[in-house]
Amino acid sequence: MVTRRGLCIVLALCACSKGRPSHDGIDDVAAALRELERISAAVHDVPPPPPPACREGHPAQAVSPQDAGAASPSLAWGPGVVGLAYIRDEGRRSVLAFQRFVEGRPHGPIVDLGDGAARDPTSAAWDGTSFVFSWGEPKDLVPEVYVGMVDAAGEVHWDASRLTETVQTGPWRTTGRTAVESKDARVAALGPALLLTWRTRTFPEAHPLYFAAVHGLQVSPPVPISAETDVVLDHQIVTWGDGAAIAYLGRFAKTQRQVRLARVGVSPPAVLDDWLVSDPSHIPDSFELAAVPVDQDLVLLWRGRTEFNSTSNIAFARIGPQGLAGPVADSTVVERALASNPEVNQPRRSFAVAPSPHGFVLAWSYQDDPDRGGESGLRVARYHADGSLDGSPLPLPIEKHIARDPTLARGAGGEFWYAYAVGDPPTERGRMYLGSVICE
């Protein structure tokens, strides 16, 4: 086979040989053939791309009813049991639905929680004996933080009202403040305690961040992480070492845009450290953030975009146990991780992360060439601790839909469970899917 470059060399040398003695032309052709051999050898010496480090485990299957209006999934893994929480909107009521799966198959009935007006997002965790989840729901027409608990056998231990009355109290509930919103709750399990984080609207354009510790049925007073004039756009809580950390991004000091990390204590609840991780010139348009422990360090990932219609990159920063090496961490782009960017229906969340030995596994929704309706689906890849790929991404096609709000949870034996919603509300009713990949 003659390559285009080799063919050009042969034609050029033959053209130059016109008007020369015949032996010169032969020498020129011989030199061209040697050049072709060198090019062919170089091409064949290029190693093929590495195979995907992950392979499909349980194929994705629909796990919610056809007309459930499912949205905002979250996953947690207990020994041998996968717990999936999501919002099921039935029109007349909207509840937090919880399902258990063993070996990828539904185990027991769907458990419904809430007063009938549940709001996303959801957050799930395994505390060693039970699944605990949080979500938002209005109380007296004002959004509040709700918490529920279901054990591995499917028995409800907490309904939505057990902790709400305590969590919704706080220093901001003073005379004259009658419509304060508490929303976007996250939950994490830390030994015998639970940690809750949420955003609270205290001024027309302010969304400060708070957290509280839960011991049994005792909830601590809310602890502020940001000032009441700050606008926190997204936050994630994660266990780190013997404690916990809260990653958050937003607009601080009125106009300054930052990605920050707070290390918190539980007994008593307090902010121990608050570090500036990144000071981007443009805040991520989708304000999406994730955090995952890697060895002794903590990795922060956030989606950044400088133009409205451009593909979203996932930025990366690694923080050691003693904090940042410098005043601001150098953030890099995670290799080949490009989040989906449909024209209008950009999902609130487009990627998820879970820890793996000496690195992490990343899942992100994508749509190739969205202006022309290109292929869409979910990609899963394993990464080293420095953000470089370990093998190639594994594509999981999803027909012509966007994988909305993907979530990821680490199981056993190198298995990672993922869930996502399909359907573009309000015209299409959402449906929940669950599957797994093996990243040994």
Side-chain angles (χ1 to χ4, degrees), residues 3 58 110 152 207 257 277 412:
T3 64
H58 291 85
I110 301 176
H207 286 90
R257 294 165 168 82
V277 175

Side-chain angles (χ1 to χ4, degrees), residues 50-55 334-337 352-364 379-394 408 410 413-416 437-440:
C54 301
R55 57 182 171 84
V334 178
E335 184 180 359
R336 293 184 62 185
V353 64
S356 68
H358 311 298
F360 56 91
V361 171
L362 190 68
W364 67 96
R379 288 191 176 106
V380 180
R382 189 171 64 190
Y383 285 87
H384 298 291
D386 61 358
S388 60
L389 264 174
D390 183 7
S392 299
L394 173 68
L408 192 66
R410 181 181 178 181
E415 189 169 30
F416 291 81
V437 295
I438 310 295
C439 302
E440 296 174 333

Side-chain angles (χ1 to χ4, degrees), residues 320-395:
Q322 304 303 321
L324 303 174
V328 177
D330 293 330
S331 61
T332 58
V333 175
V334 178
E335 184 180 359
R336 293 184 62 185
L338 298 176
S340 66
N341 182 26
E343 294 180 356
V344 177
N345 295 321
Q346 176 70 52
R348 175 184 172 87
R349 310 209 70 83
S350 65
F351 73 92
V353 64
S356 68
H358 311 298
F360 56 91
V361 171
L362 190 68
W364 67 96
S365 59
Y366 71 92
Q367 184 178 18
D368 294 330
D369 199 2
D371 293 336
R372 294 178 176 82
E375 181 185 16
S376 60
L378 193 70
R379 288 191 176 106
V380 180
R382 189 171 64 190
Y383 285 87
H384 298 291
D386 61 358
S388 60
L389 264 174
D390 183 7
S392 299
L394 173 68

Side-chain angles (χ1 to χ4, degrees), residues 265-345:
V266 178
S267 299
V271 177
L272 305 179
D273 298 292
D274 189 5
W275 297 311
L276 171 63
V277 175
S278 181
D279 191 2
S281 58
H282 300 275
I283 199 68
D285 182 67
S286 303
F287 43 85
E288 182 181 357
L289 180 73
V292 62
V294 175
D295 297 329
Q296 300 300 317
D297 300 341
L298 189 70
V299 167
L300 267 64
L301 304 103
W302 62 95
R303 184 170 52 164
R305 187 167 59 197
T306 57
E307 296 179 5
F308 181 75
N309 287 324
S310 66
T311 305
S312 301
N313 294 321
I314 299 177
F316 163 97
R318 185 174 178 180
I319 298 94
Q322 304 303 321
L324 303 174
V328 177
D330 293 330
S331 61
T332 58
V333 175
V334 178
E335 184 180 359
R336 293 184 62 185
L338 298 176
S340 66
N341 182 26
E343 294 180 356
V344 177
N345 295 321

Side-chain angles (χ1 to χ4, degrees), residues 30-96:
L33 292 176
R34 288 195 297 270
E35 177 66 12
L36 281 177
E37 292 177 357
R38 186 190 68 79
I39 294 173
S40 177
V43 170
H44 286 87
D45 287 342
V46 175
C54 301
R55 57 182 171 84
E56 191 174 27
H58 291 85
Q61 58 177 332
V63 296
S64 66
Q66 178 68 44
D67 297 326
S72 186
S74 57
L75 284 174
W77 185 84
V81 183
V82 178
L84 169 64
Y86 59 93
I87 300 297
R88 191 175 76 238
D89 186 359
E90 299 174 343
R92 292 178 298 176
R93 67 173 191 151
S94 181
V95 298
L96 180 131

Side-chain angles (χ1 to χ4, degrees), residues 44 48-49 71 84 93 107 117 152 172 182 192 194 210 230 233 252 270 272 323 335 354-355 402 419-420:
H44 286 87
L84 169 64
R93 67 173 191 151
H107 184 72
W172 56 85
S182 295
L194 295 176
Y210 289 83
D230 294 333
L233 301 173
F252 307 96
L272 305 179
E335 184 180 359
I402 297 297
Y420 59 87

Side-chain angles (χ1 to χ4, degrees), residues 84-139:
L84 169 64
Y86 59 93
I87 300 297
R88 191 175 76 238
D89 186 359
E90 299 174 343
R92 292 178 298 176
R93 67 173 191 151
S94 181
V95 298
L96 180 131
F98 175 71
Q99 292 182 251
R100 292 168 297 130
F101 298 86
V102 176
E103 294 296 328
R105 294 186 294 271
H107 184 72
I110 301 176
V111 180
D112 292 343
L113 296 175
D115 292 339
R119 298 289 183 268
D120 59 1
T122 65
S123 178
W126 171 258
D127 73 349
T129 61
S130 303
F131 294 98
V132 186
F133 14 79
S134 62
W135 69 99
E137 196 154 337
K139 185 178 182 65

